[in-house]
Amino acid sequence: MRSIEDVAERKLCTGCGVCAYLAPESYRMVDVLAEGRRPLPIRPVGAAPQAPGCAGHEADALKACPGVGLTADVDDRPQLDGWGPVLGMWEGYASSSSLRHSASSGGAATALASFCLEHRNFSGVLHTGARADIPYLNEVKFSRTPDELLEHVGSRYAPASPAEGLGLVEAADAPSVFIGKPCDVAASHKARALRPALDANLGLTIAIFCAGTPSTRGTLELIKALGSDPENLKSLHYRGDGWPGEARAEPGERQLSYDASWGGILEKHRQWRCYLCADHTGEFADVSVGDPWHRPTAGDPGRSLIVARTARGVEVVLAAIAAGVLVATPVPNSTLPASQAGLLKVRGAVWGRTVALRLSGLPAPRYRGMPMFGIWLRKLTVKDKLRSTVGTVRRIGRRGLRTRSKIEEYTPR
């Protein structure tokens, strides 16, 4: 991968937007209908991309790109095999009953961010929300008050590039919270090593467990299944108002369960890079939050599994509990694999997929310090191993992986 263009055109882009933050004169993020958010070059016509060895902003963008690969920090934090560092784990929910109800699970991520705004004098929270003019698309939000944050609560199973807004964090007059998918947070982790001012202002990073990002085409299919029309859409909710809640649109003729909306529609539209992801639970964050699927959801108003990855994360979680903003109880580390039962095998399968791509002469992300081969060896059945290798070779043709993607901006009608 010699440039950001290589990453995007070779279908290894996660859509995080960190390249547009680090090299805004060279890239802007656009939506590609069948793939996701992608960097569109905006150099003068005929100008050549900068080489990785040069000192330009484009070289920094490539260094921070999570699509190329990830390297785990080597330190003395305790590791949960296959799940990254874990310094503390809780199950809990926002003490605000309205937030708990409207959130996708227990509202813990929003509660922690609100705590930082109200009790730690943080400048703001960088996160994702629906576009006001086109509600089925996402845009970067920088909320400075808890009320602003609450306007955008809930999951957004659609392309988002919150890392393109990291300049707002860097320029703030006090630390800020960053909330994103694991790849977004990993990008911020790599970028802070290049930008001291960003490093100083990233007061807390929160990653949301992620099983992959569906394209906008998936959302359009969902809107149709809900009996709605993209051109007249006023709002779209993928989950929430209960746990896990139903997908619903306004106006809309029907609602769909989480299994029907995600399992029946959206997951079929995940971008290719998500099939090569080794970090679905936010190993590079201070705190990662997701659903405790190990327990039944029926009749439960919502719960979050909260994983502290750093000492900073532990301190903020405990302080939020002490302040009464978060209601949470410590749970054993075994709760994480029990809650996300399929993700360990997914991580093992990624090893097989990346090996198959390289043997086929195609690029694949490189992971260092993130165990994968042992999981592939121990956790996958023979059938799973063949699916991860031989199945990937078959996908090369079906997904056109030998052909470079053309980055064409999607324009809503």
Side-chain angles (χ1 to χ4, degrees), residues 1 11-12 14 65-70 272-273 275-278 350 353-355 357-358 362-368 372:
M1 298 293 100
K11 302 177 180 65
L12 294 184
T14 69
C65 176
V68 174
L70 297 172
W272 170 244
R273 179 60 177 79
Y275 289 87
L276 306 176
C277 178
V350 169
R353 290 168 190 157
T354 56
V355 168
L357 288 171
R358 292 194 182 99
L362 293 172
R366 294 191 178 277
Y367 297 104
R368 295 178 175 86
M372 295 167 58

Side-chain angles (χ1 to χ4, degrees), residues 140-204:
V140 175
K141 304 288 184 181
F142 191 68
S143 296
R144 296 184 179 276
T145 68
D147 286 343
E148 289 180 4
L149 190 61
L150 290 173
E151 291 177 5
H152 308 289
V153 68
S155 295
R156 299 291 302 172
Y157 294 136
S161 48
E164 68 178 312
L166 285 171
L168 296 170
V169 173
E170 184 176 353
D173 56 6
S176 297
V177 178
F178 178 58
I179 303 177
K181 303 181 298 298
C183 57
D184 303 326
V185 174
S188 75
H189 183 78
K190 297 177 82 172
R192 72 191 306 170
L194 302 169
R195 295 286 179 87
L198 174 67
D199 182 45
N201 267 357
L202 271 177
L204 186 75

Side-chain angles (χ1 to χ4, degrees), residues 243-276:
W243 185 37
E246 297 188 328
R248 57 202 186 279
E250 175 62 37
E253 297 176 0
R254 63 189 70 90
Q255 297 184 353
L256 292 177
S257 69
Y258 176 74
D259 287 341
S261 60
W262 171 258
I265 299 174
L266 293 170
E267 72 169 349
K268 299 174 183 177
H269 292 271
R270 287 175 292 179
Q271 60 186 0
W272 170 244
R273 179 60 177 79
C274 294
Y275 289 87
L276 306 176

Side-chain angles (χ1 to χ4, degrees), residues 6 9 39 43 74 214 239 254 277 306 364 369:
D6 277 347
E9 293 172 5
R43 296 186 203 87
V74 178
R239 289 178 57 181
R254 63 189 70 90
C277 178
I306 307 157

